[in-house]
Amino acid sequence: MAARYLANPELQGDRAGLGAWSRASAQYKLINNHREDQAPVAARLTALTEAKLRAAGVPVPHL
């Protein structure tokens, strides 16, 4: 999944929008962790994807 985002930067969305999320960390955390107890695989996939994108230099908000 991370490789697809890196190969297609247009899928990463608007960089200005990411800045808004990083300033609203409580909302990002709520949305990002929503139902993680009911879908732990999806939560883990999200965490791994975000880690790979951060490692590649893509600005992804931290919780």
Side-chain angles (χ1 to χ4, degrees), residues 5-25:
Y5 282 118
L6 293 172
N8 301 287
E10 67 277 3
L11 297 176
Q12 296 174 21
D14 181 25
R15 300 265 180 189
L18 286 175
W21 275 114
S22 65
R23 291 186 299 276
S25 61

Side-chain angles (χ1 to χ4, degrees), residues 10-41:
E10 67 277 3
L11 297 176
Q12 296 174 21
D14 181 25
R15 300 265 180 189
L18 286 175
W21 275 114
S22 65
R23 291 186 299 276
S25 61
Q27 291 92 339
Y28 182 78
K29 184 176 181 179
L30 178 68
I31 291 168
N32 202 29
N33 296 334
H34 177 70
R35 297 175 66 140
E36 72 179 0
D37 57 328
Q38 295 172 348
V41 173

Side-chain angles (χ1 to χ4, degrees), residues 33-56:
N33 296 334
H34 177 70
R35 297 175 66 140
E36 72 179 0
D37 57 328
Q38 295 172 348
V41 173
R44 182 70 179 138
L45 178 60
T46 298
L48 289 171
T49 301
E50 288 178 349
K52 287 185 179 197
L53 291 173
R54 281 189 199 100

